[in-house]
Amino acid sequence: RPTMAASPGVVHSSTEGGDPARGGGGGAPLPGSSSTPRPATPRFVYLDVDVDDAQDRFARAAQFVATSDLKYGFSSKDILRLGGRERAAVPELYASDHAWAARGPCAV
């Protein structure tokens, strides 16, 4: 019986032969399976965890900076381009602005 050389990134769907502890079936192939190689699928999961509503709080701070840059003299409408001192002042300025503070807390 011919053997197929293993290639990086290729998974063989045959369950014939091999070590059962390593996934080899040691018996006949499953119905509908073949020894045709198929591309390996990634087995990773990425979780995006939003603790304490941080994404919404940061989005409010970013909107605050974008809409009130002239009022408070920010150097940019983009919160990520603000300097350290400006960015540190955003929560205090946000809290003192009654129209924005009523929308909920912000985070930088």
Side-chain angles (χ1 to χ4, degrees):
R1 149 179 158 174
T3 59
M4 193 176 290
S7 306
V10 175
V11 175
H12 296 281
S13 60
S14 174
T15 58
E16 289 187 72
D19 181 7
R22 292 188 173 190
L30 296 172
S33 68
S34 68
S35 61
T36 309
R38 59 187 165 97
T41 56
R43 297 180 188 209
F44 300 104
V45 174
Y46 297 98
L47 298 176
D48 188 7
V49 180
D50 186 7
V51 178
D52 199 24
D53 204 24
Q55 290 179 338
D56 287 338
R57 293 171 69 174
F58 182 78
R60 279 193 291 274
Q63 287 177 329
F64 171 73
V65 169
T67 58
S68 55
D69 62 321
L70 295 176
K71 181 177 180 180
Y72 292 109
F74 295 128
S75 61
S76 175
K77 288 181 175 270
D78 184 359
I79 194 168
L80 298 176
R81 292 181 169 251
L82 294 180
R85 184 172 290 167
E86 286 178 310
R87 196 180 296 185
V90 168
E92 184 180 340
L93 294 172
Y94 180 93
S96 67
D97 191 313
H98 297 291
W100 280 93
R103 297 181 187 193
C106 79
V108 179

